[in-house]
Amino acid sequence: MSQRVRRLTVRHLTVYRYERPVELGEHRMMFRPRESHDLRLVDSSLDIQPRPASLRWLHDVFDNSVAIATFAGRTSELRFDSTVALEHLEVPLPHYALAAEAQNHPFLYPEDEWPNLTGAVVRRHPDAEVDLWASQFLAPSGSTATMQLLQAMTHGIKQQFNYSRRVQKGVQSPIETLRRGQGSCRDFALLMMEAVRSLGLAARFVSGYIFVPRHDAGATLGGGATHAWLQVYLPGAGWVDFDPTNSIVGNRDLIRVAVAWDPKQVLPLWGTFISETSISSTMSVNVHVDEEVS
């Protein structure tokens, strides 16, 4: 099956402004995409103002690339400006060669893989309403084609819920999303994660970026900011991407940065500041993903 190679540039700018100068605590960043067979990092730069007293990098327990900055002095503005250039390989209509035993749901994960998947199966928000919602995608016969089930759930969220971009921190619980009938990309990702986990499937949260082609600017949601979706582990196919916000199955237009069992573990940027008195602060985030046209 043919693959398309796109050369993309991602600029992610975050600016904090404080009512009065403050002391800055440690800040941790997840801006650097996860290199893989379908994503090659060509170049990257990270400009932080004021310049940090120290900047170090590490790989966390999920092998995500994390930058940690510490600061000296006081400031009324803090800027993080990340730019990465990459090659993105995508299969327009992916076919996943699931192992024979995983072709239909329900199935059991192989014994040798199970120890590494327990964190991806444990539910963080168990609720009977989520179980009931997930059950609508199962065939009455008791056996459902696995990819058909996951595709139907991905499309179902797009059809049943209204997208609402939310800049505030935090993620709605799945039950909140069900009852409100709307949510952001991270809310939809968490809902589907918990739904597939209720069916015994292993899932993990993905934080990253989405490329919005010019011809598709009105249809693709989540551009202009960081994006979130999920991956489900399927024997024979591995970790497969599902973006319920845009009904995407596979890696089309999706640029992975970080993965974890829970959204709280993959915040793109988090840190602290110290002030002698209570003050107000603002944050602005702008993400631009552009394609290099030869």
Side-chain angles (χ1 to χ4, degrees), residues 179-215:
R179 292 177 179 176
R180 293 179 181 177
Q182 66 177 27
S184 67
C185 57
R186 57 187 185 269
D187 303 324
F188 296 155
L190 181 59
L191 169 62
M192 185 165 170
M193 275 177 54
E194 287 296 296
V196 299
R197 285 171 175 170
S198 77
L199 301 177
L201 300 177
R204 64 185 185 183
F205 192 89
V206 186
S207 175
Y209 308 110
I210 185 167
F211 169 64
V212 181
R214 294 182 185 275
H215 64 80

mmCIF file of all heavy atoms in Angstrom, residues 179-215:
data_model
loop_
_atom_site.group_PDB
_atom_site.id
_atom_site.type_symbol
_atom_site.label_atom_id
_atom_site.label_comp_id
_atom_site.label_asym_id
_atom_site.label_seq_id
_atom_site.Cartn_x
_atom_site.Cartn_y
_atom_site.Cartn_z
ATOM 1 N N ARG A 179 -23.166 13.326 29.382
ATOM 2 C CA ARG A 179 -24.337 14.092 29.812
ATOM 3 C C ARG A 179 -24.420 15.456 29.150
ATOM 4 O O ARG A 179 -25.521 15.954 28.888
ATOM 5 C CB ARG A 179 -24.321 14.231 31.337
ATOM 6 C CG ARG A 179 -24.547 12.895 32.037
ATOM 7 C CD ARG A 179 -24.458 12.999 33.552
ATOM 8 N NE ARG A 179 -24.713 11.703 34.176
ATOM 9 C CZ ARG A 179 -24.637 11.469 35.488
ATOM 10 N NH1 ARG A 179 -24.304 12.457 36.314
ATOM 11 N NH2 ARG A 179 -24.887 10.267 35.966
ATOM 12 N N ARG A 180 -23.273 16.074 28.873
ATOM 13 C CA ARG A 180 -23.286 17.388 28.231
ATOM 14 C C ARG A 180 -23.464 17.297 26.727
ATOM 15 O O ARG A 180 -23.884 18.256 26.083
ATOM 16 C CB ARG A 180 -21.987 18.136 28.557
ATOM 17 C CG ARG A 180 -21.851 18.516 30.028
ATOM 18 C CD ARG A 180 -20.531 19.220 30.292
ATOM 19 N NE ARG A 180 -20.380 19.582 31.705
ATOM 20 C CZ ARG A 180 -19.308 20.149 32.231
ATOM 21 N NH1 ARG A 180 -18.274 20.429 31.445
ATOM 22 N NH2 ARG A 180 -19.257 20.445 33.513
ATOM 23 N N GLY A 181 -23.076 16.166 26.152
ATOM 24 C CA GLY A 181 -23.201 16.007 24.706
ATOM 25 C C GLY A 181 -22.203 16.836 23.923
ATOM 26 O O GLY A 181 -22.379 17.047 22.721
ATOM 27 N N GLN A 182 -21.156 17.298 24.581
ATOM 28 C CA GLN A 182 -20.129 18.078 23.898
ATOM 29 C C GLN A 182 -18.813 17.959 24.640
ATOM 30 O O GLN A 182 -18.766 17.524 25.793
ATOM 31 C CB GLN A 182 -20.533 19.540 23.809
ATOM 32 C CG GLN A 182 -20.605 20.260 25.155
ATOM 33 C CD GLN A 182 -20.943 21.735 24.990
ATOM 34 O OE1 GLN A 182 -21.588 22.140 24.008
ATOM 35 N NE2 GLN A 182 -20.506 22.566 25.927
ATOM 36 N N GLY A 183 -17.759 18.356 23.981
ATOM 37 C CA GLY A 183 -16.449 18.295 24.618
ATOM 38 C C GLY A 183 -15.364 18.719 23.660
ATOM 39 O O GLY A 183 -15.600 18.999 22.480
ATOM 40 N N SER A 184 -14.141 18.739 24.167
ATOM 41 C CA SER A 184 -12.960 19.059 23.369
ATOM 42 C C SER A 184 -12.326 17.755 22.891
ATOM 43 O O SER A 184 -12.782 16.661 23.240
ATOM 44 C CB SER A 184 -11.968 19.864 24.206
ATOM 45 O OG SER A 184 -11.457 19.040 25.250
ATOM 46 N N CYS A 185 -11.244 17.868 22.138
ATOM 47 C CA CYS A 185 -10.585 16.669 21.633
ATOM 48 C C CYS A 185 -10.109 15.780 22.775
ATOM 49 O O CYS A 185 -10.214 14.550 22.705
ATOM 50 C CB CYS A 185 -9.429 17.044 20.712
ATOM 51 S SG CYS A 185 -8.159 18.106 21.456
ATOM 52 N N ARG A 186 -9.577 16.372 23.850
ATOM 53 C CA ARG A 186 -9.091 15.537 24.958
ATOM 54 C C ARG A 186 -10.245 14.872 25.701
ATOM 55 O O ARG A 186 -10.090 13.768 26.225
ATOM 56 C CB ARG A 186 -8.216 16.364 25.893
ATOM 57 C CG ARG A 186 -8.835 17.606 26.488
ATOM 58 C CD ARG A 186 -7.777 18.412 27.250
ATOM 59 N NE ARG A 186 -8.314 19.568 27.951
ATOM 60 C CZ ARG A 186 -8.416 20.777 27.445
ATOM 61 N NH1 ARG A 186 -8.051 20.992 26.183
ATOM 62 N NH2 ARG A 186 -8.891 21.784 28.162
ATOM 63 N N ASP A 187 -11.416 15.525 25.740
ATOM 64 C CA ASP A 187 -12.588 14.904 26.365
ATOM 65 C C ASP A 187 -13.049 13.696 25.563
ATOM 66 O O ASP A 187 -13.381 12.645 26.131
ATOM 67 C CB ASP A 187 -13.735 15.912 26.476
ATOM 68 C CG ASP A 187 -13.356 17.152 27.253
ATOM 69 O OD1 ASP A 187 -12.585 17.037 28.219
ATOM 70 O OD2 ASP A 187 -13.844 18.243 26.903
ATOM 71 N N PHE A 188 -13.076 13.838 24.239
ATOM 72 C CA PHE A 188 -13.503 12.730 23.387
ATOM 73 C C PHE A 188 -12.501 11.573 23.449
ATOM 74 O O PHE A 188 -12.899 10.396 23.442
ATOM 75 C CB PHE A 188 -13.655 13.201 21.936
ATOM 76 C CG PHE A 188 -14.742 14.227 21.733
ATOM 77 C CD1 PHE A 188 -14.687 15.112 20.669
ATOM 78 C CD2 PHE A 188 -15.818 14.315 22.602
ATOM 79 C CE1 PHE A 188 -15.678 16.054 20.465
ATOM 80 C CE2 PHE A 188 -16.830 15.261 22.414
ATOM 81 C CZ PHE A 188 -16.750 16.136 21.342
ATOM 82 N N ALA A 189 -11.217 11.900 23.501
ATOM 83 C CA ALA A 189 -10.200 10.850 23.592
ATOM 84 C C ALA A 189 -10.358 10.063 24.884
ATOM 85 O O ALA A 189 -10.283 8.827 24.893
ATOM 86 C CB ALA A 189 -8.803 11.461 23.502
ATOM 87 N N LEU A 190 -10.587 10.767 25.996
ATOM 88 C CA LEU A 190 -10.750 10.079 27.280
ATOM 89 C C LEU A 190 -12.022 9.248 27.293
ATOM 90 O O LEU A 190 -12.024 8.117 27.801
ATOM 91 C CB LEU A 190 -10.779 11.095 28.425
ATOM 92 C CG LEU A 190 -10.918 10.494 29.828
ATOM 93 C CD1 LEU A 190 -9.771 9.536 30.135
ATOM 94 C CD2 LEU A 190 -10.989 11.594 30.889
ATOM 95 N N LEU A 191 -13.117 9.753 26.736
ATOM 96 C CA LEU A 191 -14.354 8.982 26.670
ATOM 97 C C LEU A 191 -14.135 7.674 25.909
ATOM 98 O O LEU A 191 -14.520 6.594 26.377
ATOM 99 C CB LEU A 191 -15.454 9.803 25.989
ATOM 100 C CG LEU A 191 -16.728 9.034 25.614
ATOM 101 C CD1 LEU A 191 -17.409 8.459 26.858
ATOM 102 C CD2 LEU A 191 -17.691 9.922 24.828
ATOM 103 N N MET A 192 -13.505 7.751 24.754
ATOM 104 C CA MET A 192 -13.303 6.529 23.968
ATOM 105 C C MET A 192 -12.321 5.589 24.644
ATOM 106 O O MET A 192 -12.499 4.359 24.593
ATOM 107 C CB MET A 192 -12.834 6.876 22.551
ATOM 108 C CG MET A 192 -12.728 5.656 21.649
ATOM 109 S SD MET A 192 -12.602 6.056 19.898
ATOM 110 C CE MET A 192 -12.192 4.418 19.232
ATOM 111 N N MET A 193 -11.296 6.146 25.301
ATOM 112 C CA MET A 193 -10.369 5.296 26.048
ATOM 113 C C MET A 193 -11.097 4.463 27.086
ATOM 114 O O MET A 193 -10.911 3.247 27.192
ATOM 115 C CB MET A 193 -9.312 6.146 26.742
ATOM 116 C CG MET A 193 -8.118 6.514 25.900
ATOM 117 S SD MET A 193 -6.971 7.588 26.799
ATOM 118 C CE MET A 193 -6.684 6.639 28.272
ATOM 119 N N GLU A 194 -11.928 5.125 27.887
ATOM 120 C CA GLU A 194 -12.638 4.417 28.945
ATOM 121 C C GLU A 194 -13.677 3.468 28.367
ATOM 122 O O GLU A 194 -13.934 2.398 28.938
ATOM 123 C CB GLU A 194 -13.290 5.433 29.885
ATOM 124 C CG GLU A 194 -12.299 6.162 30.779
ATOM 125 C CD GLU A 194 -11.599 5.205 31.740
ATOM 126 O OE1 GLU A 194 -12.281 4.611 32.598
ATOM 127 O OE2 GLU A 194 -10.375 5.040 31.616
ATOM 128 N N ALA A 195 -14.262 3.828 27.228
ATOM 129 C CA ALA A 195 -15.251 2.950 26.597
ATOM 130 C C ALA A 195 -14.603 1.664 26.097
ATOM 131 O O ALA A 195 -15.126 0.560 26.324
ATOM 132 C CB ALA A 195 -15.946 3.683 25.458
ATOM 133 N N VAL A 196 -13.465 1.767 25.417
ATOM 134 C CA VAL A 196 -12.825 0.548 24.915
ATOM 135 C C VAL A 196 -12.240 -0.265 26.069
ATOM 136 O O VAL A 196 -12.209 -1.502 26.010
ATOM 137 C CB VAL A 196 -11.761 0.850 23.836
ATOM 138 C CG1 VAL A 196 -12.393 1.543 22.647
ATOM 139 C CG2 VAL A 196 -10.611 1.659 24.387
ATOM 140 N N ARG A 197 -11.783 0.421 27.119
ATOM 141 C CA ARG A 197 -11.305 -0.323 28.287
ATOM 142 C C ARG A 197 -12.444 -1.100 28.938
ATOM 143 O O ARG A 197 -12.228 -2.198 29.467
ATOM 144 C CB ARG A 197 -10.680 0.638 29.295
ATOM 145 C CG ARG A 197 -9.300 1.146 28.898
ATOM 146 C CD ARG A 197 -8.803 2.255 29.807
ATOM 147 N NE ARG A 197 -7.435 2.663 29.493
ATOM 148 C CZ ARG A 197 -6.832 3.720 30.001
ATOM 149 N NH1 ARG A 197 -7.470 4.495 30.875
ATOM 150 N NH2 ARG A 197 -5.589 4.018 29.664
ATOM 151 N N SER A 198 -13.655 -0.549 28.898
ATOM 152 C CA SER A 198 -14.798 -1.274 29.467
ATOM 153 C C SER A 198 -15.071 -2.554 28.689
ATOM 154 O O SER A 198 -15.733 -3.473 29.201
ATOM 155 C CB SER A 198 -16.047 -0.388 29.462
ATOM 156 O OG SER A 198 -16.628 -0.283 28.167
ATOM 157 N N LEU A 199 -14.568 -2.628 27.462
ATOM 158 C CA LEU A 199 -14.727 -3.809 26.620
ATOM 159 C C LEU A 199 -13.498 -4.710 26.661
ATOM 160 O O LEU A 199 -13.386 -5.660 25.886
ATOM 161 C CB LEU A 199 -15.007 -3.382 25.172
ATOM 162 C CG LEU A 199 -16.256 -2.505 24.970
ATOM 163 C CD1 LEU A 199 -16.378 -2.078 23.514
ATOM 164 C CD2 LEU A 199 -17.509 -3.235 25.421
ATOM 165 N N GLY A 200 -12.556 -4.397 27.568
ATOM 166 C CA GLY A 200 -11.385 -5.243 27.754
ATOM 167 C C GLY A 200 -10.225 -4.943 26.840
ATOM 168 O O GLY A 200 -9.270 -5.740 26.769
ATOM 169 N N LEU A 201 -10.250 -3.799 26.154
ATOM 170 C CA LEU A 201 -9.167 -3.443 25.238
ATOM 171 C C LEU A 201 -8.188 -2.483 25.898
ATOM 172 O O LEU A 201 -8.581 -1.670 26.741
ATOM 173 C CB LEU A 201 -9.733 -2.815 23.961
ATOM 174 C CG LEU A 201 -10.684 -3.703 23.146
ATOM 175 C CD1 LEU A 201 -11.220 -2.940 21.946
ATOM 176 C CD2 LEU A 201 -9.974 -4.980 22.701
ATOM 177 N N ALA A 202 -6.933 -2.561 25.502
ATOM 178 C CA ALA A 202 -5.882 -1.701 26.045
ATOM 179 C C ALA A 202 -5.823 -0.412 25.233
ATOM 180 O O ALA A 202 -5.785 -0.439 24.001
ATOM 181 C CB ALA A 202 -4.534 -2.413 25.989
ATOM 182 N N ALA A 203 -5.811 0.728 25.931
ATOM 183 C CA ALA A 203 -5.790 2.018 25.248
ATOM 184 C C ALA A 203 -4.871 2.981 25.972
ATOM 185 O O ALA A 203 -4.677 2.884 27.186
ATOM 186 C CB ALA A 203 -7.207 2.595 25.165
ATOM 187 N N ARG A 204 -4.313 3.931 25.218
ATOM 188 C CA ARG A 204 -3.501 4.976 25.832
ATOM 189 C C ARG A 204 -3.805 6.324 25.174
ATOM 190 O O ARG A 204 -4.212 6.398 24.016
ATOM 191 C CB ARG A 204 -2.006 4.656 25.741
ATOM 192 C CG ARG A 204 -1.421 4.580 24.350
ATOM 193 C CD ARG A 204 0.032 4.130 24.419
ATOM 194 N NE ARG A 204 0.690 4.146 23.100
ATOM 195 C CZ ARG A 204 1.931 3.746 22.885
ATOM 196 N NH1 ARG A 204 2.659 3.277 23.888
ATOM 197 N NH2 ARG A 204 2.467 3.811 21.668
ATOM 198 N N PHE A 205 -3.607 7.385 25.944
ATOM 199 C CA PHE A 205 -3.895 8.754 25.525
ATOM 200 C C PHE A 205 -2.702 9.285 24.734
ATOM 201 O O PHE A 205 -1.553 9.016 25.073
ATOM 202 C CB PHE A 205 -4.120 9.610 26.774
ATOM 203 C CG PHE A 205 -4.690 10.979 26.525
ATOM 204 C CD1 PHE A 205 -6.061 11.187 26.491
ATOM 205 C CD2 PHE A 205 -3.855 12.070 26.357
ATOM 206 C CE1 PHE A 205 -6.589 12.448 26.293
ATOM 207 C CE2 PHE A 205 -4.366 13.337 26.154
ATOM 208 C CZ PHE A 205 -5.742 13.532 26.122
ATOM 209 N N VAL A 206 -2.987 10.059 23.690
ATOM 210 C CA VAL A 206 -1.936 10.637 22.854
ATOM 211 C C VAL A 206 -2.110 12.154 22.807
ATOM 212 O O VAL A 206 -3.201 12.657 22.542
ATOM 213 C CB VAL A 206 -1.962 10.088 21.410
ATOM 214 C CG1 VAL A 206 -0.756 10.602 20.629
ATOM 215 C CG2 VAL A 206 -2.001 8.574 21.398
ATOM 216 N N SER A 207 -1.027 12.867 23.064
ATOM 217 C CA SER A 207 -1.004 14.316 22.924
ATOM 218 C C SER A 207 -0.086 14.670 21.771
ATOM 219 O O SER A 207 0.977 14.069 21.617
ATOM 220 C CB SER A 207 -0.504 14.980 24.220
ATOM 221 O OG SER A 207 -0.357 16.378 24.060
ATOM 222 N N GLY A 208 -0.500 15.621 20.949
ATOM 223 C CA GLY A 208 0.338 15.995 19.817
ATOM 224 C C GLY A 208 -0.251 17.145 19.040
ATOM 225 O O GLY A 208 -0.856 18.061 19.600
ATOM 226 N N TYR A 209 -0.090 17.069 17.723
ATOM 227 C CA TYR A 209 -0.559 18.132 16.832
ATOM 228 C C TYR A 209 -1.328 17.503 15.673
ATOM 229 O O TYR A 209 -1.173 16.318 15.381
ATOM 230 C CB TYR A 209 0.618 18.937 16.274
ATOM 231 C CG TYR A 209 1.567 19.463 17.321
ATOM 232 C CD1 TYR A 209 2.868 18.943 17.449
ATOM 233 C CD2 TYR A 209 1.190 20.481 18.187
ATOM 234 C CE1 TYR A 209 3.749 19.434 18.400
ATOM 235 C CE2 TYR A 209 2.065 20.974 19.147
ATOM 236 C CZ TYR A 209 3.335 20.448 19.246
ATOM 237 O OH TYR A 209 4.198 20.919 20.200
ATOM 238 N N ILE A 210 -2.139 18.326 15.007
ATOM 239 C CA ILE A 210 -2.837 17.861 13.816
ATOM 240 C C ILE A 210 -2.592 18.844 12.683
ATOM 241 O O ILE A 210 -2.641 20.064 12.874
ATOM 242 C CB ILE A 210 -4.347 17.681 14.072
ATOM 243 C CG1 ILE A 210 -5.027 17.067 12.833
ATOM 244 C CG2 ILE A 210 -5.020 18.995 14.476
ATOM 245 C CD1 ILE A 210 -6.437 16.564 13.102
ATOM 246 N N PHE A 211 -2.264 18.295 11.521
ATOM 247 C CA PHE A 211 -2.087 19.101 10.321
ATOM 248 C C PHE A 211 -3.442 19.271 9.656
ATOM 249 O O PHE A 211 -4.160 18.296 9.428
ATOM 250 C CB PHE A 211 -1.112 18.420 9.357
ATOM 251 C CG PHE A 211 -1.068 19.054 7.992
ATOM 252 C CD1 PHE A 211 -0.620 20.354 7.822
ATOM 253 C CD2 PHE A 211 -1.479 18.336 6.875
ATOM 254 C CE1 PHE A 211 -0.583 20.941 6.559
ATOM 255 C CE2 PHE A 211 -1.440 18.909 5.613
ATOM 256 C CZ PHE A 211 -0.996 20.211 5.455
ATOM 257 N N VAL A 212 -3.801 20.514 9.371
ATOM 258 C CA VAL A 212 -5.076 20.804 8.713
ATOM 259 C C VAL A 212 -4.789 21.261 7.288
ATOM 260 O O VAL A 212 -4.333 22.395 7.078
ATOM 261 C CB VAL A 212 -5.855 21.898 9.474
ATOM 262 C CG1 VAL A 212 -7.197 22.150 8.779
ATOM 263 C CG2 VAL A 212 -6.077 21.492 10.926
ATOM 264 N N PRO A 213 -5.019 20.406 6.299
ATOM 265 C CA PRO A 213 -4.789 20.818 4.910
ATOM 266 C C PRO A 213 -5.667 22.011 4.554
ATOM 267 O O PRO A 213 -6.781 22.156 5.060
ATOM 268 C CB PRO A 213 -5.191 19.568 4.109
ATOM 269 C CG PRO A 213 -5.102 18.440 5.085
ATOM 270 C CD PRO A 213 -5.478 19.023 6.407
ATOM 271 N N ARG A 214 -5.177 22.861 3.670
ATOM 272 C CA ARG A 214 -5.921 24.059 3.294
ATOM 273 C C ARG A 214 -7.307 23.724 2.753
ATOM 274 O O ARG A 214 -8.291 24.398 3.043
ATOM 275 C CB ARG A 214 -5.129 24.865 2.263
ATOM 276 C CG ARG A 214 -3.819 25.446 2.795
ATOM 277 C CD ARG A 214 -3.107 26.260 1.735
ATOM 278 N NE ARG A 214 -1.801 26.725 2.203
ATOM 279 C CZ ARG A 214 -1.619 27.816 2.912
ATOM 280 N NH1 ARG A 214 -2.666 28.556 3.246
ATOM 281 N NH2 ARG A 214 -0.404 28.183 3.292
ATOM 282 N N HIS A 215 -7.391 22.664 1.949
ATOM 283 C CA HIS A 215 -8.679 22.313 1.344
ATOM 284 C C HIS A 215 -9.647 21.719 2.361
ATOM 285 O O HIS A 215 -10.832 21.549 2.065
ATOM 286 C CB HIS A 215 -8.467 21.316 0.197
ATOM 287 C CG HIS A 215 -7.913 19.997 0.649
ATOM 288 N ND1 HIS A 215 -8.671 18.993 1.210
ATOM 289 C CD2 HIS A 215 -6.632 19.528 0.633
ATOM 290 C CE1 HIS A 215 -7.904 17.965 1.502
ATOM 291 N NE2 HIS A 215 -6.658 18.254 1.167
#
